[in-house]
Amino acid sequence: MSYAAYKMMHWATGIENCASGYLTHSIADSTAQFIPTLPSDDLDSDWPRNPGIGPIPNLIVSAANVLEVYIVRLQETNAASDAKRGGLMAGVSGASLELVCHYRLHANIESMAVLSIGGSDSSRRRDSIILAFRDAKVSVLEYDDSTHSLRASSLHCFEGPDWLHLKRGRESFARGPLVKVDPQGRCGGVLVYDLQMIILKTVQAGTGLVGDDESFGSGGAASARIESTYLINLRELDIKHVKDFVFVHGYIEPVLVILHERELTWAGRIPWKHHTCMLSALSINTTMKQHPVIWSATNLPHDAYKLLAVPSPIGGVLVISTNAIYYHSQSMSCALAVNTFAVSADGSQEMPRSSFTVELDTAHATWLANDVAMLSTKTGELLLLTLVYDGRVVQRLDLVKSRASVLTSDITTIGNSLFFLGSRLGDSLLVQYTSGSAPTASVSSVKEEVGDIEVDAPSTKRLRRSSSDALQDMVGGEELSLYGSTPNKADSTQKSFSFAVRDSLINIGPLKDFSYGLRINANPNATGIAKQSNYELVCCSGHGKNGALSVLQRSIRPEMITEVELPGVKGIWTVYHKSSRNHNSDASKIASEEDEYHAYLIISLEARTMVLETADLLGEVTESVDYYVQGSTIAAGNLFGRRRVIQIYARGARILDGSYMTQELNFGPNSTESGSGTDSVTVSAVSIADPFVLLKMSDGSIQLLVGDSSNCTVSINVPSVFEGSKKSISACTLYNDRGPEPWLRKASTDAWLSTGVGEAIDASDGVPHDGDIYCITCYDNGTLEIFDVPSFKCVFSVEKFISGKAHLIDSHVKESLLELHEISEDPVSQGRKENVQNIKVSEVAMHRWSGQHSRPFLFGILTDGTILCYHAYVFEAQENAKNEDSKGGKDSSTLDSVSSSRLRNLRFLRMPLDMHTREEVPAEGALPRISIFKNVGSHQGFFISGMRPAWFMVFRERLRVHPQLCDGPIAAFTVLHNVNCNHGFIYVTSQGFLKICQLPSGLSYDNHWPVQKMPLKGTPHQVTYFAEKNLYPLIVSFPVIKPLNQILSSLVDQETGHQIDHDNLSSDELQKTYTTDAFEIRILEPEKSGGVWQTKATIPMQSSENALTVRMVTLLNTTTKENETLLAIGTAYVQGEDVAARGRVLLYSLGKSDNPQNLVSEIYSKELKGAISALASLQGHLLIAAGPKIILHKWTGTELNGVAFFDPPLHVVSLNIVKNFILLGDIHKSIYFLSWKEQGSQLSLLAKDFASLDTFSTEFLIDGSTLSLVVADEQKNVQIFYYAPKVSESWKGQKLLSRAEFHIGAHVTKFLRLQMLPASSDRPNATPGPDKTNRYALLFGTLDGSVGCIAPLDELSFRRLQSLQRKLVDAVPHVAGLNPKSFRQFQSIGRAHRPGPDNIVDCELLCHYEMLPLEEQLDIAHQIGTTRSQIFSNLNDLSLGTSFL
């Protein structure tokens, strides 16, 4: 393995930063009732007209290197008949997050702030996001309406040789850059290198740079921008150790308050040096670049760590320390102690104390009102802090307990009635809150009395709980995730708040450990890639009360109801039938449509058609119905509001009412053709959109069947557009624009169309309006056109749809915009063109799923296997009018007449799909592959059949792709809803099995991989898998409260045996309690039905004993000479630094007896010196890492006897075994490579890494016959070493040599070695050599909640992909201006490091190749001397080889 690829498979989910701001709309857009000149963009949704809920900004979240922007959608009471999750509150029945954009950046986001204009409610300006990255990079991003994405408005970098002086000779810094912004948006501040403050000066409105505020700029609205920057060196102001800083409210110029420590202290010096922190307030004059100190405050405690700016009218800052909260302003100060450890600076006067005790270290806070702050503590409690004030004088601080919730990592208020709890340790929550007595009262109204909140809010008090919700990870009356709210009872100065959880984002991080085991419904006969679907990843995720067991399954494995063998199936369809259909479309009809059962299942075989009834039993009725059964069917569906069924076969169609035929059509020759051509033209593809049916004939022509709903008949119609056209059509489809209102009309420039959106415009024959119908056609030359049906006016056209551009814009708009930066049409000279001429669109589909604000998706499958996915959006281009006026009179009038009815404002944005497997489409006779479903297990999306079938599910307007590997290729798919199969589906495998299934219900699909989270109410630490009995032993710790004397009595030094003196403790102090962690091993068994797993047995640990490792080991019993599989546990006693460390090794046997009561039985325990931090079985022996040494033991059946030992330097973190080789990771001293020799019974050191490295995890990487050693470290790097004693650099083999190094950007906690799958797309004639078969990849999990893999590559593929990667660094526009090359460089902060070889390719960058337009793909492939198909073949092989789980 000289070369490897790094590939992310599940991106980070642990949210670290969150903020809110007006990115996609301005305050004015959301408060204006209606702007007649502009049809409101889809994003500026009509906010509820409720006086309590004002405009709602966007939510921006970041997790490691992932940045996401959401928009909050509210459901008003009248819109939703049933109250959504959380009941009714303030006239809102529900709120949900909808994704606007999602980016994976080439750097981890250290901190984030929103630069707001701070204007009035009528402000049209928008906010920008400021992101800071290590060491000192700052990017300012704004939302661009025209591209529906974020663009960088400015980039600021303070790294490199020019800025070396800023570091002042230091290498490592306590934290990355920190960003804060002035509340009125005049400037921002970034603290870099701990002591340099960068002031970002914003462009002020009215300086002429942005133009007039009222006229929209070219990209929609103008956003806040940065004009210039300058540096303040804080050392010159005698500010040394900065802890936090913030801009305060209420000053004419921006005022920056800095919390800093004058001289450092530590826990051992507290009695002598305690109040060491102080505040300094600087007035920032950005024009003069002056910053005088205007006030300061001293004597703050040494553990003060956070500042919170109090909103106007009060002003000032809150200082939060572990034991107290202080308020300071220029004129006054006050304090509140929150526990007994708080002391005032001189110790004389008593501080006011809160009514309960709490520790506030690592708290996060946000403002719910201008005098109420909400604090989230480290235990997940929410506290409300009220500032009791009179004018601008704060009299005192009040703190009350509110509710308990998730452990937060950041918290932000969204508008005036929602807040978001971002969590790295649990699921993040969106919560709605209301305050005060009257339900309509806005939050900022001044103090209400508490008495009468009960009367108004009975509906919010009802505890609502739905079992289906994956969120239920908390229990207990006061937990916030319970859907209800209890008002806080407190003294009369306290406002009362009620909360309701509205939405949540799943998080599986931090992944501390995981195990790889079989699923419950695994198929033992599966082979090849389908076998991967038998496995699942069982992960320890979360912490404390958010601790959970996450079961990850990358591929969906449906729950089968029945299966039948049925070879030769070409297609399957289910149709509805109800005879008494009423004509009027009322709401009840739409509601019942969801629950109507299917009536018939039509199965098309090669030479005949079968018809089955889908009643209680599937019975064949082929003989007794009038369906066409003598040949295969092309398509079937419902017409006329499900009153009729239409069945289309190669030469004709039948309309059926139930089982009786009412009309038959034959597609004979057109009248213009001669009789000789009759037998050649047949139907090749069909699209049905009630009441139209679109037929694509085998000669590339089109026919339209138009239904007349008065008498339920159909007539053939050839659209005049296509009659004389010579252009051959490669794919076409109909799109029915249904929903609460027709969406595409918003994109039209017709005034009556766009304003009359709400009215139902009756169709010509008087049928109630049921959505507009459009026809999308793709031609052989790659053009895509959208026609209005039935008039067939062209309303949208794009040339070169097949090239997969990032944005699709109507070609007429393009002409009028006269884009100058368009590339010349033929970038690739004719001579070197690849065979791209024959790429065509083989299938096209467009659909808009239900949802108030949903927008249509457009999908195209090309013949080379590319899947193009586009999401529609509306953008109002202002330039049209100006350009049209400036053209000549004659010219403009013709242009106007053409473009009057066009969808000029319609645009499409290409969406990346996380799916690399491509399959070539046969040119002729391809079966349709896209099946759209509206409700399968209450999910919506589409299923794509073929060689690599996959589910595409739509959540929050984003597509989630979940492959289905378990049955191999799938030929046909359809939905089925009947008595026995509730919202299920049917599919036919290419082996000829028809399966009726349902989606597994316990999983959450709104995640990168389907996941089932099971709460443990404790912290999981390590998990292992016992394959024989399918059990998972798991270490869990949970807090227990113990009396202090019980804990002190256990702190006895075992060797000297003397008791610790209690003389200095009074008797009442001994009665106090103290919280410690208790550990236990739980043996869990997966539940057959897919529910929550059962705990089969528990092994408790002793008092103050921590279980550190649990492993299933196979030991050779030397007396019976048999192998035994045992559960081995390594523990350590944690009793403080006065007691010598010791630990125990425990061996248990699992499930030897049939009696379930004694599933586990202890067979051996032994106490050793030092903590037992790692265990492994080595050729029947047990290898134990005990304190600073490792000892190899043999097992006699009754006891362990040591046979060999080795002394590593400090503390063993991980042990890995292959054959007789041992890889050992030390906590600070990198890795050691040992071997075990049976005959001399000795452990000998082969080689070690001479550098010092803080190891996180290690593993062997096997590629054919090559063995490499992989280590991940504390600086988020991965290194691959090899052992080469013959090479001179290795100092006769003592030193391990570096083979590759890479910066992953996350802490890797566990590697798992899995055998790679043979890539089936390997050249068919070449037999894979032995080096191809014995090839292993490493799957890894990280603390951010991401999962990825490192896979070996052969040299040829590596060289090709590496040169492609170097090209892509420049060819792709990177979000936020970040450089992928610098991100992936090995980071050794403060340590000497010789750079190793760059032998790992980054698939995170390579996946951008697929998103480039076809012309650029060909160009880049040509520049690196290869072909596009060759690159895709390499990426495909890698993707197939690592399609685990």
Side-chain angles (χ1 to χ4, degrees):
M1 200 288 333
S2 308
Y3 308 101
Y6 154 86
K7 185 173 173 17
M8 236 15 194
M9 297 172 157
H10 182 295
W11 286 266
T13 53
I15 291 176
E16 287 155 16
N17 303 298
C18 58
S20 64
Y22 293 94
L23 288 178
T24 60
H25 53 273
S26 61
I27 299 183
D29 296 345
S30 42
T31 47
Q33 298 272 336
F34 184 66
I35 307 169
T37 53
L38 300 163
S40 74
D41 185 317
D42 204 46
L43 287 168
D44 317 338
S45 76
D46 32 356
W47 301 109
R49 307 281 162 260
N50 181 324
I53 296 181
I56 299 187
N58 296 97
L59 169 70
I60 305 116
V61 300
S62 78
N65 66 333
V66 176
L67 176 71
E68 294 181 330
V69 179
Y70 290 94
I71 189 165
V72 182
R73 298 292 190 196
L74 297 182
Q75 283 90 38
E76 285 183 80
T77 37
N78 51 13
S81 48
D82 56 334
K84 298 278 190 308
R85 168 174 177 189
L88 210 72
M89 182 185 277
V92 174
S93 62
S96 58
L97 296 171
E98 177 186 299
L99 187 77
V100 178
C101 49
H102 162 102
Y103 296 105
R104 295 166 193 158
L105 311 182
H106 296 293
N108 287 351
I109 297 170
E110 291 292 327
S111 79
M112 175 168 79
V114 169
L115 180 65
S116 68
I117 289 299
S120 61
D121 279 356
S122 63
S123 165
R124 288 219 177 283
R125 316 248 324 248
R126 297 193 186 170
D127 303 345
S128 299
I129 313 175
I130 305 183
L131 302 176
F133 308 96
R134 248 185 225 281
D135 280 324
K137 291 191 266 294
V138 179
S139 297
V140 185
L141 303 178
E142 63 187 31
Y143 181 77
D144 181 0
D145 280 324
S146 63
T147 60
H148 204 76
S149 53
L150 295 177
R151 65 169 175 226
S153 65
S154 62
L155 307 171
H156 313 271
C157 181
F158 296 88
E159 296 173 16
D162 300 349
W163 300 100
L164 265 179
H165 61 278
L166 298 182
K167 292 190 177 186
R168 303 190 53 83
R170 288 173 60 194
E171 278 294 322
S172 60
F173 298 93
R175 61 170 169 208
L178 184 63
V179 188
K180 295 284 167 79
V181 170
D182 173 44
Q184 289 173 16
R186 294 164 295 191
C187 66
V190 187
L191 179 72
V192 296
Y193 302 128
D194 291 357
L195 279 178
Q196 306 289 341
M197 180 70 70
I198 304 166
I199 299 294
L200 309 168
K201 183 186 174 183
T202 55
V203 177
Q204 288 305 305
T207 52
L209 281 164
V210 180
D212 186 12
D213 225 17
E214 294 312 305
S215 72
F216 280 64
S218 58
S223 303
R225 303 232 170 133
I226 301 296
E227 181 186 287
S228 59
T229 62
Y230 67 95
L231 277 158
I232 302 177
N233 185 354
L234 297 179
R235 280 179 74 94
E236 294 166 3
L237 303 170
D238 202 31
I239 294 176
K240 290 202 189 80
H241 309 284
V242 179
K243 293 189 150 192
D244 197 12
F245 70 98
V246 76
F247 286 90
V248 292
H249 294 255
Y251 284 89
I252 297 172
E253 286 201 320
V255 171
L256 181 66
V257 177
I258 300 178
L259 170 68
H260 57 105
E261 206 165 358
R262 284 166 306 178
E263 35 190 332
L264 296 175
T265 182
W266 66 286
R269 295 274 301 159
I270 299 298
W272 294 274
K273 195 195 276 189
H274 40 83
H275 281 61
T276 54
C277 286
M278 65 175 287
L279 294 178
S280 298
L282 317 179
S283 174
I284 308 287
N285 185 330
T286 51
T287 44
M288 311 277 290
K289 300 192 181 178
Q290 289 175 342
H291 35 269
V293 176
I294 53 172
W295 57 270
S296 62
T298 54
N299 281 341
L300 288 166
H302 76 286
D303 53 8
Y305 65 95
K306 193 183 193 71
L307 293 177
L308 209 56
V310 182
S312 46
I314 307 172
V317 290
L318 285 176
V319 185
I320 300 174
S321 75
T322 308
N323 308 315
I325 303 173
Y326 299 83
Y327 170 80
H328 278 281
S329 71
Q330 192 158 357
S331 50
M332 57 149 307
S333 66
C334 60
L336 175 73
V338 295
N339 58 37
T340 52
F341 298 114
V343 287
S344 59
D346 44 5
S348 58
Q349 78 262 42
E350 188 65 27
M351 290 171 73
R353 298 199 177 277
S354 64
S355 55
F356 56 95
T357 62
V358 65
E359 290 173 13
L360 282 186
D361 48 331
T362 73
H364 294 276
T366 189
W367 292 95
L368 297 190
N370 60 354
D371 57 345
V372 182
M374 184 173 66
L375 297 151
S376 162
T377 68
K378 60 182 177 185
T379 56
E381 285 179 298
L382 296 180
L383 311 175
L384 294 176
L385 175 73
T386 307
L387 281 68
V388 182
Y389 70 104
D390 179 18
R392 292 191 67 165
V393 179
V394 175
Q395 291 151 353
R396 68 174 196 276
L397 306 173
D398 268 350
L399 191 68
V400 294
K401 280 192 179 182
S402 174
R403 307 286 289 289
S405 177
V406 64
L407 305 177
T408 55
S409 59
D410 201 358
I411 177 170
T412 182
T413 311
I414 308 173
N416 64 2
S417 55
L418 292 156
F419 61 85
F420 181 77
L421 300 169
S423 172
R424 195 187 146 88
L425 303 173
D427 292 349
S428 302
L429 304 177
L430 176 72
V431 183
Q432 186 186 350
Y433 67 91
T434 53
S435 110
S437 49
T440 55
S442 86
V443 178
S444 49
S445 56
V446 196
K447 313 191 192 35
E448 271 96 32
E449 291 298 313
V450 162
D452 57 0
I453 184 167
E454 310 287 351
V455 191
D456 298 283
S459 62
T460 57
K461 288 269 300 284
R462 285 202 305 266
L463 289 177
R464 305 175 56 85
R465 179 156 188 179
S466 76
S467 58
S468 67
D469 223 324
L471 251 187
Q472 277 325 109
D473 54 356
M474 329 232 171
V475 183
E478 51 161 35
E479 293 287 4
L480 182 55
S481 344
L482 229 82
Y483 310 108
S485 59
T486 44
N488 308 295
K489 295 259 176 22
D491 53 349
S492 60
T493 58
Q494 184 68 39
K495 281 189 185 175
S496 68
F497 283 89
S498 342
F499 300 109
V501 177
R502 291 304 190 191
D503 201 353
S504 66
L505 299 176
I506 293 178
N507 168 28
I508 60 161
L511 295 179
K512 298 198 188 68
D513 187 34
F514 58 76
S515 182
Y516 182 76
L518 276 177
R519 298 190 195 179
I520 276 297
N521 53 1
N523 169 16
N525 310 325
T527 55
I529 213 154
K531 191 174 178 185
Q532 286 305 314
S533 203
N534 285 342
Y535 298 99
E536 61 192 5
L537 216 54
V538 177
C539 312
C540 298
S541 59
H543 179 84
K545 67 177 186 186
N546 296 132
L549 203 64
S550 297
V551 183
L552 290 171
Q553 306 182 349
R554 190 183 184 186
S555 57
I556 289 182
R557 187 178 191 93
E559 290 172 358
M560 196 166 69
I561 297 174
T562 74
E563 75 170 327
V564 190
E565 190 164 0
L566 194 64
V569 174
K570 287 277 172 263
I572 44 179
W573 299 270
T574 43
V575 291
Y576 299 97
H577 169 248
K578 223 180 231 169
S579 48
S580 58
R581 289 256 168 223
N582 51 351
H583 281 246
N584 57 340
S585 64
D586 52 345
S588 63
K589 173 191 148 193
I590 295 166
S592 65
E593 266 190 14
E594 282 297 301
D595 300 319
E596 186 183 336
Y597 288 156
H598 287 98
Y600 293 103
L601 167 66
I602 300 159
I603 305 176
S604 164
L605 305 171
E606 302 206 1
R608 64 193 182 96
T609 294
M610 287 169 66
V611 183
L612 283 78
E613 259 183 333
T614 55
D616 301 356
L617 302 164
L618 286 180
E620 186 171 345
V621 291
T622 311
E623 303 306 320
S624 59
V625 291
D626 290 346
Y627 281 87
Y628 173 78
V629 294
Q630 292 80 30
S632 63
T633 302
I634 307 288
N638 285 92
L639 286 184
F640 311 120
R642 299 187 180 172
R643 280 177 296 163
R644 295 286 185 272
V645 175
I646 180 161
Q647 178 198 16
I648 293 160
Y649 44 96
R651 302 193 182 281
R654 292 189 181 185
I655 308 286
L656 297 108
D657 183 353
S659 56
Y660 306 107
M661 179 166 73
T662 58
Q663 185 186 0
E664 181 163 22
L665 298 168
N666 281 317
F667 308 134
N670 296 345
S671 52
T672 53
E673 271 186 63
S674 61
S676 59
T678 51
D679 46 320
S680 56
V681 181
T682 53
V683 181
S684 66
V686 181
S687 172
I688 301 175
D690 188 9
F692 299 104
V693 181
L694 184 72
L695 310 172
K696 176 180 161 268
M697 312 309 274
S698 53
D699 61 350
S701 65
I702 274 189
Q703 297 194 13
L704 183 71
L705 306 185
V706 183
D708 177 0
S709 57
S710 53
N711 56 7
C712 294
T713 56
V714 168
S715 56
I716 303 181
N717 173 357
V718 178
S720 53
V721 188
F722 303 121
E723 263 186 333
S725 104
K726 293 284 171 282
K727 291 197 288 188
S728 173
I729 292 172
S730 64
C732 57
T733 184
L734 290 178
Y735 163 59
N736 189 350
D737 195 20
R738 298 180 63 166
E741 49 183 26
W743 189 87
L744 279 179
R745 294 194 185 184
K746 301 179 183 181
S748 166
T749 44
D750 268 12
W752 69 272
L753 262 182
S754 50
T755 49
V757 164
E759 309 157 18
I761 297 150
D762 283 359
S764 52
D765 50 4
V767 175
H769 176 70
D770 206 13
D772 302 334
I773 309 238
Y774 297 92
C775 165
I776 295 113
T777 55
C778 297
Y779 299 99
D780 283 359
N781 61 5
T783 306
L784 173 132
E785 291 190 340
I786 300 182
F787 297 95
D788 189 21
V789 177
S791 67
F792 273 90
K793 275 202 291 211
C794 177
V795 290
F796 186 86
S797 66
V798 179
E799 286 161 9
K800 286 214 166 43
F801 172 67
I802 51 167
S803 72
K805 298 187 197 67
H807 297 90
L808 303 182
I809 305 174
D810 185 13
S811 51
H812 275 125
V813 179
K814 264 200 168 152
E815 288 163 26
S816 65
L817 284 180
L818 293 172
E819 295 191 11
L820 299 169
H821 54 265
E822 278 293 299
I823 333 161
S824 62
E825 269 315 296
D826 190 17
V828 188
S829 69
Q830 289 305 113
R832 59 169 202 231
K833 261 202 175 169
E834 246 180 277
N835 55 345
V836 291
Q837 267 78 19
N838 53 17
I839 295 185
K840 298 187 184 68
V841 181
S842 72
E843 188 173 355
V844 63
M846 185 166 173
H847 194 76
R848 174 173 167 225
W849 281 276
S850 62
Q852 184 134 24
H853 302 283
S854 62
R855 313 193 309 276
F857 284 94
L858 172 68
F859 307 99
I861 302 184
L862 308 187
T863 47
D864 70 336
T866 312
I867 299 179
L868 300 176
C869 162
Y870 284 94
H871 204 173
Y873 65 98
V874 167
F875 171 65
E876 209 87 18
Q878 289 288 310
E879 283 87 347
N880 304 352
K882 298 171 199 161
N883 282 2
E884 282 175 21
D885 295 346
S886 61
K887 290 186 181 168
K890 176 170 63 84
D891 192 23
S892 68
S893 61
T894 54
L895 222 158
D896 268 349
S897 62
V898 173
S899 64
S900 60
S901 59
R902 290 184 78 88
L903 304 174
R904 309 185 53 101
N905 300 330
L906 175 65
R907 298 198 174 183
F908 290 93
L909 170 68
R910 182 155 175 211
M911 311 296 286
L913 298 175
D914 302 324
M915 185 171 121
H916 259 309
T917 47
R918 314 158 67 80
E919 51 177 292
E920 301 269 335
V921 178
E924 285 314 307
L927 294 170
R929 291 175 53 199
I930 296 179
S931 313
I932 289 171
F933 57 87
K934 297 187 182 63
N935 185 347
V936 170
S938 74
H939 298 298
Q940 47 185 21
F942 71 94
F943 182 84
I944 189 156
S945 51
M947 286 290 291
R948 311 250 168 274
W951 294 80
F952 289 65
M953 295 186 185
V954 181
F955 295 95
R956 314 181 191 280
E957 287 294 282
R958 87 188 276 170
L959 278 178
R960 298 285 197 185
V961 185
H962 302 308
Q964 179 177 317
L965 312 170
C966 55
D967 296 293
I970 287 180
F973 171 96
T974 188
V975 290
L976 173 69
H977 178 45
N978 72 359
V979 184
N980 303 321
C981 178
N982 188 22
H983 292 301
F985 52 93
I986 308 181
Y987 61 87
V988 181
T989 67
S990 59
Q991 277 93 34
F993 286 94
L994 180 139
K995 302 196 178 192
I996 301 181
C997 304
Q998 282 176 304
L999 275 180
S1001 54
L1003 295 171
S1004 310
Y1005 297 96
D1006 183 15
N1007 189 33
H1008 300 292
W1009 293 1
V1011 59
Q1012 179 184 10
K1013 271 187 89 163
M1014 287 164 285
L1016 294 168
K1017 306 203 173 31
T1019 306
H1021 294 273
Q1022 217 177 51
V1023 62
T1024 183
Y1025 177 57
F1026 181 42
E1028 281 173 43
K1029 303 269 181 197
N1030 202 27
L1031 297 173
Y1032 289 93
L1034 168 79
I1035 301 178
V1036 182
S1037 69
F1038 46 93
V1040 287
I1041 295 171
K1042 291 190 172 177
L1044 203 58
N1045 53 4
Q1046 192 183 333
I1047 288 176
L1048 286 171
S1049 63
S1050 71
L1051 298 182
V1052 182
D1053 197 326
Q1054 302 293 319
E1055 292 174 8
T1056 57
H1058 73 267
Q1059 198 70 21
I1060 295 173
D1061 306 331
H1062 293 319
D1063 308 343
N1064 52 357
L1065 290 174
S1066 62
S1067 58
D1068 60 327
E1069 278 183 313
L1070 281 175
Q1071 298 310 312
K1072 285 190 177 168
T1073 58
Y1074 183 74
T1075 307
T1076 61
D1077 274 344
F1079 280 75
E1080 66 184 23
I1081 312 291
R1082 293 186 195 165
I1083 316 284
L1084 296 177
E1085 180 175 49
E1087 180 61 41
K1088 294 280 185 287
S1089 63
V1092 174
W1093 293 10
Q1094 299 301 312
T1095 305
K1096 286 292 176 194
T1098 331
I1099 307 171
M1101 296 291 116
Q1102 295 175 3
S1103 165
S1104 73
E1105 180 182 32
N1106 289 13
L1108 296 185
T1109 180
V1110 56
R1111 289 287 176 249
M1112 295 304 306
V1113 292
T1114 305
L1115 303 183
L1116 177 67
N1117 185 333
T1118 51
T1119 43
T1120 63
K1121 298 281 184 277
E1122 284 177 359
N1123 279 331
E1124 299 180 14
T1125 302
L1126 303 173
L1127 175 69
I1129 303 167
T1131 73
Y1133 289 96
V1134 180
Q1135 295 172 320
E1137 55 190 14
D1138 305 323
V1139 184
R1142 58 203 173 89
R1144 288 196 302 162
V1145 175
L1146 306 166
L1147 292 180
Y1148 286 82
S1149 73
L1150 282 182
K1152 285 282 183 288
S1153 65
D1154 297 332
N1155 186 359
Q1157 260 63 45
N1158 40 10
L1159 175 75
V1160 289
S1161 49
E1162 181 179 329
I1163 53 177
Y1164 181 72
S1165 86
K1166 177 182 186 179
E1167 195 170 286
L1168 296 166
K1169 284 185 183 175
I1172 314 294
S1173 56
L1175 297 165
S1177 55
L1178 169 63
Q1179 296 185 339
H1181 298 57
L1182 183 63
L1183 188 60
I1184 300 174
K1189 62 164 49 141
I1190 59 169
I1191 313 166
L1192 189 67
H1193 294 77
K1194 69 170 192 268
W1195 170 242
T1196 63
T1198 50
E1199 59 177 31
L1200 290 171
N1201 296 329
V1203 290
F1205 74 96
F1206 174 77
D1207 284 331
L1210 298 167
H1211 172 84
V1212 176
V1213 178
S1214 64
L1215 285 174
N1216 306 101
I1217 312 275
V1218 162
K1219 292 184 175 168
N1220 63 331
F1221 295 114
I1222 304 163
L1223 170 58
L1224 175 151
D1226 187 88
I1227 191 164
H1228 287 310
K1229 295 288 180 194
S1230 196
I1231 55 172
Y1232 285 68
F1233 184 42
L1234 315 171
S1235 77
W1236 152 249
K1237 293 198 179 63
E1238 185 83 57
Q1239 57 270 39
S1241 65
Q1242 59 180 7
L1243 287 172
S1244 52
L1245 174 67
L1246 295 176
K1248 62 177 185 176
D1249 174 24
F1250 278 56
S1252 59
L1253 198 68
D1254 299 350
T1255 310
F1256 256 60
S1257 51
T1258 58
E1259 186 54 275
F1260 286 105
L1261 187 57
I1262 300 172
D1263 181 16
S1265 54
T1266 349
L1267 187 68
S1268 307
L1269 302 90
V1270 180
V1271 54
D1273 64 43
E1274 185 265 338
Q1275 297 290 347
K1276 306 183 179 179
N1277 304 308
V1278 161
Q1279 275 171 288
I1280 303 179
F1281 290 101
Y1282 67 111
Y1283 174 58
K1286 305 231 169 36
V1287 179
S1288 58
E1289 290 95 82
S1290 71
W1291 302 354
K1292 294 187 179 166
Q1294 295 175 56
K1295 184 179 179 183
L1296 289 171
L1297 300 178
S1298 172
R1299 189 163 259 165
E1301 59 184 28
F1302 192 78
H1303 182 70
I1304 279 187
H1307 286 128
V1308 176
T1309 49
K1310 161 92 182 221
F1311 284 112
L1312 174 73
R1313 193 170 64 238
L1314 293 177
Q1315 184 154 8
M1316 286 178 74
L1317 308 156
S1320 51
S1321 64
D1322 245 323
R1323 294 336 123 237
N1325 46 9
T1327 52
D1331 57 328
K1332 284 273 198 298
T1333 50
N1334 188 27
R1335 194 172 245 200
Y1336 288 80
L1338 296 184
L1339 199 70
F1340 62 80
T1342 74
L1343 289 182
D1344 297 326
S1346 53
V1347 179
C1349 80
I1350 290 176
L1353 271 185
D1354 56 284
E1355 182 168 4
L1356 192 65
S1357 311
F1358 169 77
R1359 296 275 178 235
R1360 184 177 295 125
L1361 294 178
Q1362 191 188 37
S1363 40
L1364 172 64
Q1365 177 179 313
R1366 287 177 181 150
K1367 276 274 175 243
L1368 289 178
V1369 172
D1370 306 326
V1372 177
H1374 301 294
V1375 185
L1378 293 160
N1379 185 342
K1381 201 171 165 191
S1382 71
F1383 180 38
R1384 295 309 181 184
Q1385 267 176 343
F1386 187 90
Q1387 300 201 355
S1388 59
I1389 295 179
R1391 288 186 175 158
H1393 174 76
R1394 246 184 87 200
D1398 173 24
N1399 283 346
I1400 297 187
V1401 291
D1402 177 15
C1403 291
E1404 284 292 271
L1405 176 56
L1406 294 175
C1407 68
H1408 286 285
Y1409 182 71
E1410 202 172 15
M1411 292 296 294
L1412 291 174
L1414 178 69
E1415 294 79 18
E1416 291 181 38
Q1417 287 180 358
L1418 297 171
D1419 207 23
I1420 289 177
H1422 179 79
Q1423 287 171 15
I1424 60 175
T1426 178
T1427 61
R1428 171 178 179 267
S1429 53
Q1430 186 64 61
I1431 291 171
F1432 279 136
S1433 155
N1434 284 150
L1435 291 172
N1436 214 7
D1437 287 356
L1438 181 64
S1439 175
L1440 287 176
T1442 56
S1443 42
F1444 307 120
L1445 302 169

